[in-house]
Every structure is written in C-alpha cells, then in structure tokens.
Amino acid sequence: MDTPAVLTVSARSPLRGRIAVPGDKSISHRALMLGSLAEGETTIRGLLLGEDPRSTAACFRALGAEISELNSELVRVRGIGLGNLQEPADILDAGNSGTTMRLMLGILASHPDRFFAITGDRSLRSRPMGRVAEPLRQMGARIWGREGGKLAPLAVWGEKLQPRAYQSPVASAQVKSCLLLAGLMVDGETSVTEPFRSRDHSERMLAAFGAAVSVDGNTAAVRGPARLRGQEAIVPGDISSAAFWLVAGSIVPDSELTIENVGVNPTRTGVLDILREMGADIVLENPREAMGEPVADLRVRTAPLRGCDIGGEVIPRAIDELPVLAVAAACAQGRTTLRDAAELRVKESDRIAAMAHELSALGVTLREHPDGLEIEGEARWHGGEVRTYDDHRIAMSLAIAALVAPEPVAIQGMGCAAISYPTFVPTLAELGVNLLTAECSEQ
Ligand code: S3P
C-alpha cells in the first residue's frame, strides 16, 4: 500500500504487536555523504528509502559518486575522495530536505574552483540558509542567493577555506555538521560550539570514516585536511519514526507494542525522557551497538500520562518529536508547557502554528506562544478534517491523534509521509487501524 493523499483514520481498538521502523534519516544522509566523499567502497545496510535520502543520493551522483540503486538491504557507494567533486552539469536539487542542503553547502563551498547551484522545493526555499552561509563566509566561502544569500536557490563558488572556531547561536546539528564537513578540506581545526548539544551522528560517523574529530562539552571539532576511507555502514531504525508508535502505544487503551532495532543515541532520546516524565511505560530491551550508535528494542504499554514542562536542553534532543508529543500532551492529565522551541517555526512547516491549528480543529484546547505551546490535557477529541501543510511529521502526528478521536479524522495531504516514513500507513494498516478511505490521487 502506498501512502494515500487523503487518509481517513478511525480506530479505537488496541495496538499490539512487534513492528520495525525504517532507517534513521539523519544517519542515512550522512552514510550517503561520507560514503561519497570517501576513497573506496562504502556499503550501507538499513538505509531509509524516503524521499529525503533520495535527494542526497541524487546530488552526490551529480557530483561524481557511484551509488547503486537505493535499497534497504544493501547500497554500494563508490566514493570520489575528498577534493575530487565534479562540477555538476545542472542545478543540484535537495527537494524537501534541509539536511541535504545545509550539509551539502559545507561540502560544496570547501571544494575550490568549481561552480555549484542548489535549490529545493517550495518549503525548503523558504527555510533559513543564512545560518550556514554566514559562518561559511567567515571561513572564506563565496555563496550567493535570494535575500543576500539567506534563501535558496543558492550559488556557490568553491574556495580554499580557513579554519574557524564558530559559536553557533542555535543548537543545530545541521549547522554543526555543515561546518565540520567544510572543515574536512581546511588546514587546521574547525570547531563549532552550540548552546546545547545537538545530535552527534556526524561526529561519530566522521570518526568511523577516519577523520580527526574531537568533542569537548558542547564543542565539536575536526582537524583537516582529512582523508575518509570507505566503511561498512549500518543504519539503525529511526527514533523519530518510532516516536509515533511510542505515543500511539501510550494513549490508545490496552496497547502493547515492541518497536525493534531503534537508534537510542542519547542526543536523540529526548522523546523517551519526556514521555517517561509524563508517566509513559517504555522499556528498552536488548541494548546493543551498531557502527558506533547505540540501538535497542523499545516496548511501550498504555499508561496514564500527566502534563509536564518541556524546555531547555531537551529541545534539540527531541526537536522532530515535539509535534507528536503535543498529541500525547493533549491526552495527558493537566497542562503541558512547551517552550524554547522557536526552531519548530522554521522546519518543513511552522510546526507550532500547524499543530496549534490542526489540534484545535480536533477539539484540543491550547495557546500558541512565539517559542512553544500550552496544551490542556484530557482533550474532548472529535473527528473532522485536518491538513498537513505538506509536512511529513505533522501528517503522521495527526494520524496518531486520529487514533483517539471518537469520530473519523480525514487527513488531507498524507502523501508527504513518504519524505521520512514511506511505510507509515501500511504499518497503521498492519496494526489493524481502520483506514476508511485511501484516495490515491494527490490533492
Ligand atoms: C537533522 C537535524 C535537525 C532535525 C532534522 C535533521 C540532521 O535539524 O530537525 O530533521 O540530520 O542533522 P536542526 O539541526 O536544524 O535542528
């Protein structure tokens, strides 16, 4: 079953069983990128087959990497070697993917004497690129774009960059990774200090590929020039995708779900910390490691949730899970306050406004703030029609909310789930959720 454009969800039966989630999106991007920049062959097992990694693969093919057909079993990448990027014959297209565009900018800007142009879809062309273009310029990069180089389409003339210790005003793994990737081609140390620690997949994977990476508190650094060697990469299941089932399993009565093979890197497990603080019953089973990343099976059982305060250092560790946590908050007893989360306004959509609007449409009482939401628990859910703003995480969060609404919820624009989780709707069906209509034409 493909992801339908309009999905009508109606379910009040328990969710039970063992499920697997697709490969981690962040790690999939990085495996394709580092494999492409390395010398020799990289094999990738467990790659996410979503549209975002496909954008990354297409960009690197245009730069000269040989990447086999994408497949979750095994992808083979024949790398070009750092410094050897080809000047592409056409504009690179990052699609909907902020990770692709921001990380690529560091790579492109640091490859001297080549011209690159990069664009993306409507959402990506409205997202802030100054946060990477500006520090890259401080290293000597030449980048042009709309609004003084803040918005894509962007044009880049590659230069030999200079090392720099950058203090980032935002905790963003995309900013940090962009500069570390640029630093691979720089003589000396390039470092990024963040207000809070963001996900560290780049640091872990760069080290595995042979780069000289160091981490000290909230500062990550790379010493260049680096040489990367092809590796056997393993991508664990995405905790951001598992989050939908962690919330569903908590709020749908009498549920018990085991989500297998989920990456539980501590820079990503804010969702577990928040749900546990709310009273969720989640157990980590069979903890193990795959290519330097911690992995476990997650078992969740229905539990009464209570509201809590969400803010501070946990925000970057739960940033993509905050929309579905808003659904959990609406089911909890008492009020939940989300603050320090203004970054949500510059994701694939303005996720604060989107969740505020669509959850209100389903009966939730909430207040919107510039940097978050105040959500009253024990919502009087009702059915209705909601829209996704073409944002995959909004679409899937609303599908989870629909599981507790007493009447059907029609979700317009569900197709975007394929960005990060192409098998989300089939998994809902596998769990016995009543999917009343599944229109296949895009709305
Ligand atoms: C990502 C980092 C996060 C996250 C995004 C993926 C990454 O963005 O929201 O989905 O792979 O580095 P920011 O780093 O901009 O917060």
Side-chain angles (χ1 to χ4, degrees):
M1 182 201 279
D2 288 338
T3 305
V6 182
L7 181 73
T8 306
V9 180
S10 133
R12 302 229 56 180
S13 52
L15 302 174
R16 292 177 162 267
R18 295 182 78 85
I19 52 175
V21 288
D24 186 276
K25 181 159 78 67
S26 293
I27 299 177
S28 294
H29 282 301
R30 287 158 174 79
L32 287 166
M33 290 183 183
L34 298 195
S36 297
L37 293 174
E39 292 164 36
E41 187 179 81
T42 289
T43 54
I44 310 174
R45 287 171 210 279
L47 188 88
L48 166 65
L49 301 182
E51 287 169 22
D52 273 8
R54 288 187 193 283
S55 297
T56 292
C59 288
F60 276 97
R61 286 187 181 120
L63 294 165
E66 284 173 37
I67 303 175
S68 67
E69 203 177 308
L70 298 192
N71 178 306
S72 59
E73 294 290 304
L74 178 67
V75 174
R76 290 181 190 280
V77 182
R78 180 144 292 281
I80 27 193
L82 267 171
N84 298 329
L85 293 190
Q86 285 171 16
E87 188 175 67
D90 206 344
I91 299 168
L92 300 168
D93 186 357
N96 188 246
S97 174
T99 309
T100 306
M101 185 171 281
R102 295 197 178 108
L103 272 58
M104 297 262 336
L105 279 168
I107 296 167
L108 304 179
S110 60
H111 273 72
D113 303 327
R114 300 158 178 84
F115 174 76
F116 308 96
I118 186 162
T119 192
D121 71 6
R122 195 156 68 127
S123 149
L124 188 54
R125 280 183 275 113
S126 72
R127 295 181 63 189
M129 293 300 144
R131 57 177 57 194
V132 288
E134 197 38 51
L136 285 171
R137 283 194 194 106
Q138 292 172 16
M139 296 169 72
R142 295 172 72 192
I143 300 173
W144 301 264
R146 290 188 298 135
E147 297 193 11
K150 292 198 184 84
L151 296 177
L154 295 164
V156 179
W157 179 257
E159 289 284 355
K160 173 94 188 132
L161 302 185
Q162 301 307 314
R164 183 165 157 77
Y166 182 64
Q167 297 272 348
S168 176
V170 281
S172 161
Q174 295 182 354
V175 171
K176 174 176 63 178
S177 304
C178 165
L179 300 178
L180 295 179
L181 289 169
L184 296 173
M185 292 282 292
V186 167
D187 295 336
E189 188 175 270
T190 302
S191 70
V192 185
T193 303
E194 314 180 84
F196 296 114
R197 189 117 185 254
S198 64
R199 64 192 66 190
D200 66 356
H201 306 302
S202 295
E203 295 90 304
R204 288 173 189 250
M205 204 185 284
L206 278 167
F209 274 75
V213 179
S214 59
V215 177
D216 180 9
N218 293 348
T219 302
V222 68
R223 181 162 285 281
R227 274 182 81 173
L228 304 179
R229 287 180 301 277
Q231 297 294 315
E232 292 182 5
I234 300 171
V235 184
D238 197 329
I239 192 166
S240 299
S241 298
F244 300 109
W245 309 119
L246 293 174
V247 172
S250 298
I251 63 177
V252 174
D254 297 322
S255 296
E256 176 167 350
L257 289 172
T258 300
I259 312 146
E260 295 170 349
N261 190 36
V262 181
V264 286
N265 177 320
T267 60
R268 295 287 297 282
T269 48
V271 62
L272 299 180
D273 300 344
I274 294 166
L275 281 173
R276 282 182 173 146
E277 196 186 332
M278 295 176 83
D281 176 357
I282 300 172
V283 179
L284 264 68
E285 292 172 341
N286 194 13
R288 54 205 186 268
E289 202 166 280
M291 214 216 169
E293 291 278 351
V295 175
D297 302 328
L298 304 181
R299 198 193 63 207
V300 57
R301 280 191 286 223
T302 312
L305 301 183
R306 48 183 182 270
C308 72
D309 287 341
I310 309 173
E313 71 78 34
V314 79
I315 296 293
R317 297 195 302 114
I319 190 74
D320 292 338
E321 296 70 67
L322 295 172
V324 77
L325 284 168
V327 176
C331 296
Q333 198 178 48
R335 177 181 298 167
T336 295
T337 308
L338 169 65
R339 61 193 163 78
D340 304 328
E343 274 294 296
L344 286 178
R345 294 203 183 269
V346 291
K347 294 292 178 189
E348 286 83 328
S349 70
D350 176 343
R351 288 180 175 165
I352 294 178
M355 288 309 285
H357 194 266
E358 303 312 305
L359 287 182
S360 308
L362 296 177
V364 177
T365 304
L366 44 76
R367 271 169 301 283
E368 192 179 328
H369 295 294
D371 69 340
L373 291 167
E374 248 172 73
I375 303 167
E376 303 300 335
E378 295 173 293
R380 291 210 207 127
W381 294 97
H382 54 72
E385 200 175 295
V386 288
R387 62 191 198 93
T388 66
Y389 306 79
D390 281 331
D391 181 331
H392 52 128
R393 301 218 191 272
I394 300 297
M396 293 184 276
S397 299
L398 293 172
I400 299 306
L403 297 175
V404 289
E407 298 97 24
V409 174
I411 306 167
Q412 300 279 345
M414 193 67 207
C416 60
I419 294 285
S420 64
Y421 198 163
T423 52
F424 176 77
V425 175
T427 300
L428 272 179
E430 211 179 282
L431 290 171
V433 172
N434 206 4
L435 307 175
L436 292 178
T437 60
E439 293 168 28
C440 283
S441 63
E442 199 54 67
Q443 296 287 300

